[in-house]
Amino acid sequence: MLDIKDAKIAIIGLGYVGLPLAVEFGKARMTVGFDINGTRIAQLKAGHDATLETSAADLNAAAHLRFTDTLDDLRDCNVYIITVPTPIDAYKRPDLSALLSASKAVGLVISKGDIVIFESTVYPGATEEDCIPVITATSGLTFNTDFFAGYSPERINPGDKTHRLPDIMKVTSGSTPDTAKCVDDLYKTIITAGTHLAPSIKVAEAAKVIENTQRDVNIALINELALIFNKLDIDTMDVLEAAQTKWNFLPFRPGLVGGHCIGVDPYYLTHKAQQMGYTPEVVLAGRRINDGMGAYVVSRVLRDMINRDIPIKGARVLVLGATFKENCPDTRNSRVVDIINECCNFGMTVDVHDPWVSAAPEIGCTIDTIDNPKNGQYDAIILAVGHDSFKAMGLETIQKFGRPTHVFMDVKAVFPKTDGILRI
C-alpha cells in the first residue's frame, strides 16, 4: 500500500471543491491541479480564482502546486482525487457524465498501486458500481489488486469565509481496510478539524447525500408553514422569531432552495431508492414544495399588483440577485430563475441586478443583467438574494427604483417588517 509520505496528488476538476483542496495539498507536497477548461487554467496560473474561494495569497502559498489542462501531466501522480460536478438533468435525474468522463481520464493515466478518491456527491453505490468499472475498462487494471479507491465527500460551503476546508471535519473511506487507513491518514495531513473514517464507501456516500437532504426537508417544512401562514394572514418571520425563543427550535427560514447541493442531492438519493423499488414520500414532497417557491413568490407579487391596479402584462420587474445564495458569484442551479421565468410567462419585462455576477448565462431565459438600475422605472421589485451589498444600499434606496406605485417583495426578509412590503 502507498506510503502517504510518497503521495503525489492529482486533483481532477478545479471548481469550488477542487481548487481549495489542491491549494491545501499543494502547500506541503507535489500536487497537480487538472481541469479541461483551458481558460480556467490560464486564470489560475495568473493567480486569479473566478470563484473567489481562494485568493492570490492562497495560490502563492501552495508552493508545490501546478496547474494543467494536459492529461499526460498527471502520469507521475499516484493519488487521483476527482472533484467534478454531479448535477441533475432537465428531468431531475442524476447526471454522471462529468464524473464518468473524469473516471475515464484517470483510467488513461493510472498505474499499479495507485489510489483514486472521489469527492463528488453521488448516490450510495455509484463509486463502485458506476465509476470503478470505467477505470477498470480503460486502464486494464484489476480493482483492489492493481489499484484502489476511496470516497471522501466534499463539504465546501461557497462564500463561507469562516468554515474553510481545513476547519471542516472530513468523512473518509476506502475500498479495503488498508486503503481506508491510507486515505484517512492522507486527509489528516490537511484537515485540522479531524476526520471520521466510515466503515465503507457506501456509508460515506450515503452520509454526504443525507446531509443536504435533511436540510432540504427542514426548509420545505418552513416553506409549507409560510404557505399556511399566508392564508391565515400571519407574518411567517414573526412566528419564527417567537418560536425560536425555545432552546431546541431549529432556526430554518423560508425561501428559495437552489445551489449545487441542497437543491440537487435529494434527487440522487430518491433516484437510487426508486431503483431499489422504494418511492420516497417525505423527501420528494419536500422537493416539490421547495421547487415551487419561485412561482409562489411571483403569485404574491401579482396579487399585490392587482390590488394596487398595476397592469401585469408589460410591467417592468427588477430582480435583485441572481446567485443561489448570498455573497458569492455561484449561479449554479439558482432558483432565482424560477422567479424570472414566471414573470416572463406573465408578459412582464425583467431586469436582473447582481453585483456578484457580471453576466448570468446560467439563469435561463434571455435577461438584461444591468449594472445600475435607474430610479422610478419598475412596477415591481423582488429582492431575491440577501447580498450584504443590498443591505448596505438600504430600503429607501432600493425602493427608489420603483415607480410611485409599485410592489416590493423582500424574499429573504433582509429588511425589518414595514407596511406595504411583502415577505414570504
Side-chain angles (χ1 to χ4, degrees), residues 163-291:
H163 301 96
R164 310 303 289 167
L165 174 65
D167 309 318
I168 305 171
M169 180 170 282
K170 203 86 162 66
V171 174
T172 63
S173 64
S175 56
T176 69
D178 286 344
T179 306
K181 184 178 186 307
C182 182
V183 170
D184 192 64
D185 288 344
L186 183 63
Y187 278 103
K188 281 179 178 175
T189 64
I190 64 168
I191 305 298
T192 58
T195 61
H196 174 88
L197 179 57
S200 70
I201 287 177
K202 277 189 176 181
V203 168
E205 292 168 325
K208 167 57 180 176
V209 81
I210 71 164
E211 289 175 12
N212 290 314
T213 300
Q214 182 187 62
R215 286 180 53 79
D216 191 48
V217 170
N218 275 289
I219 297 170
L221 171 62
I222 302 301
N223 276 336
E224 185 166 52
L225 292 176
L227 303 182
I228 296 170
F229 294 146
N230 177 51
K231 291 185 177 296
L232 296 173
D233 196 26
I234 301 173
D235 186 277
T236 302
M237 294 307 301
D238 286 346
V239 176
L240 295 179
E241 288 169 7
Q244 67 189 24
T245 59
K246 189 172 185 227
W247 72 92
N248 60 353
F249 184 82
L250 301 178
F252 289 96
R253 298 178 67 169
L256 306 175
V257 184
H260 58 99
C261 288
I262 300 179
V264 171
D265 294 359
Y267 288 118
Y268 275 76
L269 182 60
T270 59
H271 170 81
K272 190 64 176 181
Q274 289 168 329
Q275 277 190 337
M276 303 304 294
Y278 179 77
T279 300
E281 302 291 345
V282 174
V283 177
L284 287 175
R287 279 281 76 233
R288 286 192 294 271
I289 291 170
N290 287 341
D291 280 346

Side-chain angles (χ1 to χ4, degrees), residues 54-378:
T54 59
S55 65
D58 294 328
L59 294 173
N60 288 333
H64 305 281
L65 171 62
R66 63 190 180 93
F67 300 108
T68 184
D69 57 359
T70 303
L71 189 60
D72 277 348
D73 290 342
L74 307 186
R75 291 190 181 277
D76 290 336
C77 298
N78 48 28
V79 177
Y80 300 88
I81 304 179
I82 295 178
T83 61
V84 297
T86 46
I88 53 176
D89 65 18
Y91 301 99
K92 303 188 187 303
R93 299 174 304 193
D95 179 1
L96 297 181
S97 57
L99 189 62
L100 297 180
S101 293
S103 299
K104 183 176 181 180
V106 168
L108 293 171
V109 294
I110 198 170
S111 301
K112 286 188 177 182
D114 292 353
I115 298 174
V116 55
I117 304 170
F118 294 84
E119 290 213 0
S120 306
T121 301
V122 292
Y123 45 75
T127 297
E128 293 160 298
E129 297 167 13
D130 297 295
C131 300
I132 295 302
V134 173
I135 298 175
T136 299
T138 306
S139 66
L141 301 177
T142 301
F143 181 46
N144 280 340
T145 299
D146 298 327
F147 77 97
F148 306 88
Y151 184 80
S152 181
E154 61 91 3
R155 284 176 166 172
I156 294 294
N157 186 25
D160 188 340
K161 302 305 181 185
T162 301
H163 301 96
R164 310 303 289 167
L165 174 65
D167 309 318
I168 305 171
M169 180 170 282
K170 203 86 162 66
V171 174
T172 63
S173 64
S175 56
T176 69
D178 286 344
T179 306
K181 184 178 186 307
C182 182
V183 170
D184 192 64
D185 288 344
L186 183 63
Y187 278 103
K188 281 179 178 175
T189 64
I190 64 168
I191 305 298
T192 58
T195 61
H196 174 88
L197 179 57
S200 70
I201 287 177
K202 277 189 176 181
V203 168
E205 292 168 325
K208 167 57 180 176
V209 81
I210 71 164
E211 289 175 12
N212 290 314
T213 300
Q214 182 187 62
R215 286 180 53 79
D216 191 48
V217 170
N218 275 289
I219 297 170
L221 171 62
I222 302 301
N223 276 336
E224 185 166 52
L225 292 176
L227 303 182
I228 296 170
F229 294 146
N230 177 51
K231 291 185 177 296
L232 296 173
D233 196 26
I234 301 173
D235 186 277
T236 302
M237 294 307 301
D238 286 346
V239 176
L240 295 179
E241 288 169 7
Q244 67 189 24
T245 59
K246 189 172 185 227
W247 72 92
N248 60 353
F249 184 82
L250 301 178
F252 289 96
R253 298 178 67 169
L256 306 175
V257 184
H260 58 99
C261 288
I262 300 179
V264 171
D265 294 359
Y267 288 118
Y268 275 76
L269 182 60
T270 59
H271 170 81
K272 190 64 176 181
Q274 289 168 329
Q275 277 190 337
M276 303 304 294
Y278 179 77
T279 300
E281 302 291 345
V282 174
V283 177
L284 287 175
R287 279 281 76 233
R288 286 192 294 271
I289 291 170
N290 287 341
D291 280 346
M293 290 307 291
Y296 168 72
V297 166
V298 175
S299 73
R300 292 283 308 279
V301 171
L302 292 177
R303 186 174 65 188
D304 212 45
M305 289 176 68
I306 292 170
N307 290 337
R308 295 175 187 234
D309 294 321
I310 301 174
I312 293 173
K313 187 173 183 179
R316 294 193 64 189
V317 179
L318 175 64
V319 174
L320 296 175
T323 60
F324 89 88
K325 64 178 292 187
E326 66 277 0
N327 304 322
C328 81
D330 195 347
T331 61
R332 291 175 297 169
N333 195 39
S334 172
R335 295 334 309 163
V336 176
V337 65
D338 299 335
I339 292 176
I340 296 167
N341 285 338
E342 193 75 0
C343 288
C344 292
N345 290 340
F346 280 95
M348 295 187 280
T349 300
V350 181
D351 287 342
V352 179
H353 172 63
D354 191 324
W356 285 87
V357 181
S358 57
E362 297 176 40
I363 286 180
C365 56
T366 302
I367 299 298
D368 292 327
T369 306
I370 59 176
D371 292 331
N372 298 296
K374 295 181 180 179
N375 290 344
Q377 298 295 307
Y378 298 99

